[in-house]
Amino acid sequence: MGSMKGLTYLKSLMLIFISITTMAQSSWNWPEDPQLEKMAKEKQAYYKVAMGLDNYNDSFTALQWLYENNANLNPSIYIDGVKVIGKIIKSGVSEDRKNQLQDSLLWMFDQRAKHFGNEAKVMDRKAYEAFKLYYKDRSKYPLLSELYDNAYAQNGTEISDYNLTPYMMLAKQYYEVKPKEMTAENVLEVHERVSNAIDAKMKAGHKIEKMKKEQDKVDAFLSALDGILTCEFISERLAPKLEENPEDIGTAKKIFRYSLQAKCTDQPYFTKAGETVLAQDPSYKLAKALADKYQAASEYRKAVELYGEAKELADTNEEKHDASLGIASAYNKLGNKPKSRASAYETIAIDPNSSSAYNLLGNLYFTSFEECKKGESRVLDRGVYLVANDMYTKAGNNAQAEAAKAQFPSSEEIFNEEYEVGQEIKVECWINKSTIIRRRD
């Protein structure tokens, strides 16, 4: 297409665009002066058509006229301006021109907020666009840090998903090059802000699996920085604050989260912080973590209590299964086999294929010979090994199934007591379960 024909084509498209959009844009802030209004409509139509034809330099020229003469026209001139500048930069420009364009791009967010409000969300987007422009430029880290601090201050936990990981990535990179400007405490503050936002989104049911992955990324950035998150830091900087104010849930959350990260769960401040958080902001994950802690510390009664709370807070069958299995295991450690068995069967009701629950039942039965034998019948007394074998088989634990089989009654014992292989018997004691007689030889 020749230059004259191309110009004519562009003008024709522009006139068509003006006629189509005039009515749709009747609520826009056009200039009161008729001549200026006519010019503004032409520039607006021209930049849209040029943009559609990938003629981004001409599109930007028309946009600049609007910024100077009709700055409050509509938010779209700033939204489109960001897109146009991005395309121009990608097309290849000099370093000076690139710097000018980048400054203009960020300026557009300020102007958009100035003329149309909604500053929090506009600054949210500005921080992200700035990050994309400058995340490789160390000299821009102070600017990016300021932008993200501002975006989080204004949006809080309503910050956009796309601004979760970048903020933590920036803190990590900034700390690595200028630890006196981005201190260890600053990094931890950023981690806490991002984690709080992720927690809030998950509690609202927002893209839970995606948010879990975001938290993993954020935690990985923190873990990659040696010497920042240590048990000593938690003990010296955070634990005393919780001692002074045991109800300080903010500090308690930090201690609990950081203790998990730094593997300080054997410290007394870990459980203390966890219980503070659980009392004010209960969650399955927290109750389960504390229950596991008490289980490992042989505090089984406390473990039963917290596994029970975790089960009540569980959202998925997998979570309910794990909490129920924890209860069964803790009762087993307490020597309360009837309650352990009951919880194991509750676990199986949640997941009929729970090999862990079946294996636990096998262990309960296998270790019950001495307490359940009556000494009147070798066949009946050894019934505990028959039901243990049943459970181990369902669990797929072949080694233990064979160990149980080795304790079956012998052919001679079955014959002498006038029983038959394949005959159904009931194993009494606390077990009260029927099984089929088998022999070990």
Side-chain angles (χ1 to χ4, degrees):
M1 184 183 292
S3 58
M4 289 300 296
K5 287 184 178 180
L7 184 60
T8 301
Y9 176 68
L10 188 59
K11 287 182 177 179
S12 298
L13 283 177
M14 187 180 72
L15 291 172
I16 294 171
F17 190 86
I18 291 173
S19 64
I20 292 174
T21 59
T22 296
M23 288 189 294
Q25 297 177 354
S26 59
S27 63
W28 287 22
N29 300 313
W30 299 107
E32 294 182 2
D33 178 84
Q35 285 300 111
L36 200 57
E37 178 186 5
K38 180 175 180 295
M39 180 67 73
K41 288 183 176 180
E42 288 179 356
K43 293 294 183 181
Q44 194 270 343
Y46 185 86
Y47 100 72
K48 291 293 287 187
V49 172
M51 188 178 174
L53 295 173
D54 297 339
N55 190 346
Y56 298 111
N57 284 300
D58 284 354
S59 181
F60 187 47
T61 299
L63 279 165
Q64 286 177 302
W65 187 95
L66 290 171
Y67 299 147
E68 293 173 8
N69 298 280
N70 197 180
N72 68 335
L73 173 58
N74 188 271
S76 63
I77 64 174
Y78 298 104
I79 296 170
D80 287 339
V82 169
K83 297 175 184 177
V84 167
I85 287 180
K87 293 290 187 180
I88 294 173
I89 292 174
K90 285 183 179 180
S91 69
V93 292
S94 70
E95 195 63 25
D96 287 343
R97 176 63 172 155
K98 178 181 176 182
N99 291 334
Q100 291 173 355
L101 288 170
Q102 289 174 336
D103 288 343
S104 295
L105 187 148
L106 298 185
W107 171 86
M108 288 183 189
F109 289 99
D110 297 330
Q111 294 301 300
R112 178 179 165 190
K114 174 183 175 181
H115 294 292
F116 304 102
N118 199 18
E119 183 177 358
K121 287 304 175 187
V122 174
M123 293 303 106
D124 187 5
R125 172 58 69 172
K126 179 182 179 181
Y128 182 64
E129 292 297 332
F131 179 82
K132 291 194 295 182
L133 292 176
Y134 297 134
Y135 75 94
K136 292 182 180 180
D137 185 348
R138 296 179 177 182
S139 69
K140 297 294 185 178
Y141 287 172
L143 169 64
L144 290 177
S145 181
E146 181 181 352
L147 289 174
Y148 267 101
D149 289 347
N150 183 32
Y152 269 76
Q154 293 192 54
N155 289 277
T157 57
E158 298 292 321
I159 199 77
S160 296
D161 293 358
Y162 51 72
N163 267 333
L164 297 170
T165 303
Y167 192 22
M168 189 63 209
M169 179 180 173
L170 168 65
K172 172 185 177 292
Q173 294 179 173
Y174 195 178
Y175 174 81
E176 287 174 332
V177 296
K178 291 188 177 180
K180 290 184 179 180
E181 293 182 12
M182 174 60 72
T183 65
E185 286 82 356
N186 294 148
V187 173
L188 291 173
E189 286 173 4
V190 170
H191 181 269
E192 192 65 18
R193 286 180 201 139
V194 178
S195 297
N196 286 342
I198 292 173
D199 283 346
K201 290 173 186 292
M202 291 179 65
K203 285 178 181 177
H206 175 73
K207 301 178 182 177
I208 293 176
E209 289 305 315
K210 182 178 185 297
M211 289 301 102
K212 287 180 180 178
K213 291 179 181 178
E214 290 295 315
Q215 186 66 61
D216 288 342
K217 293 176 188 175
V218 169
D219 290 345
F221 281 128
L222 183 60
S223 298
L225 296 173
D226 293 333
I228 280 192
L229 193 54
T230 64
C231 297
E232 289 74 21
F233 175 87
I234 299 170
S235 178
E236 294 172 7
R237 303 288 186 89
L238 298 177
K241 293 182 180 180
L242 191 61
E243 288 289 338
E244 292 176 9
N245 183 6
E247 304 303 315
D248 182 357
I249 190 171
T251 299
K253 281 186 174 182
K254 288 181 183 179
I255 291 174
F256 191 82
R257 191 192 305 277
Y258 294 159
S259 294
L260 289 172
Q261 280 284 105
K263 296 181 173 57
C264 307
T265 56
D266 58 340
Q267 300 298 315
Y269 52 68
F270 173 74
T271 49
K272 185 171 184 178
E275 289 176 351
T276 296
V277 178
L278 188 63
Q280 299 183 52
D281 189 12
S283 69
Y284 166 82
K285 184 177 180 180
L286 179 51
K288 175 66 164 52
L290 285 173
D292 290 342
K293 171 63 179 173
Y294 281 115
Q295 180 93 307
S298 301
E299 296 185 44
Y300 303 120
R301 293 190 187 282
K302 190 68 175 177
V304 167
E305 176 188 334
L306 287 166
Y307 280 130
E309 189 166 349
K311 188 176 179 182
E312 291 297 320
L313 293 166
D315 292 321
T316 65
N317 279 342
E318 181 181 359
E319 290 177 345
K320 290 177 183 177
H321 167 274
D322 291 349
S324 183
L325 184 63
I327 295 171
S329 299
Y331 272 130
N332 183 30
K333 293 292 185 179
L334 285 168
N336 193 330
K337 290 184 177 179
K339 285 191 174 181
S340 179
R341 177 195 56 186
S343 293
Y345 276 111
E346 287 179 13
T347 306
I348 290 169
I350 296 168
D351 179 5
N353 298 314
S354 176
S355 59
S356 298
Y358 281 118
N359 199 65
L360 176 57
L361 286 168
N363 291 339
L364 291 173
Y365 299 153
F366 189 86
T367 57
S368 296
F369 179 77
E370 291 298 329
E371 65 191 271
C372 288
K373 69 178 181 179
K374 294 182 178 179
E376 299 171 358
S377 166
R378 297 279 290 177
V379 174
L380 295 181
D381 285 348
R382 289 184 174 274
V384 295
Y385 298 113
L386 295 171
V387 290
N389 175 272
D390 295 338
M391 298 300 105
Y392 286 136
T393 300
K394 288 183 178 180
N397 189 342
N398 296 328
Q400 277 302 110
E402 285 298 315
K405 182 179 179 181
Q407 300 299 322
F408 284 179
S410 66
S411 299
E412 184 180 357
E413 289 168 336
I414 295 170
F415 177 77
N416 288 340
E417 294 186 20
E418 298 183 351
Y419 286 105
E420 294 180 2
V421 172
Q423 182 179 343
E424 182 178 289
I425 59 171
K426 186 173 185 180
V427 182
E428 296 182 344
C429 192
W430 58 270
I431 296 174
N432 291 318
K433 188 169 182 62
S434 296
T435 186
I436 300 299
I437 294 176
R438 284 95 77 200
R439 57 186 176 83
R440 67 171 178 260
D441 50 10

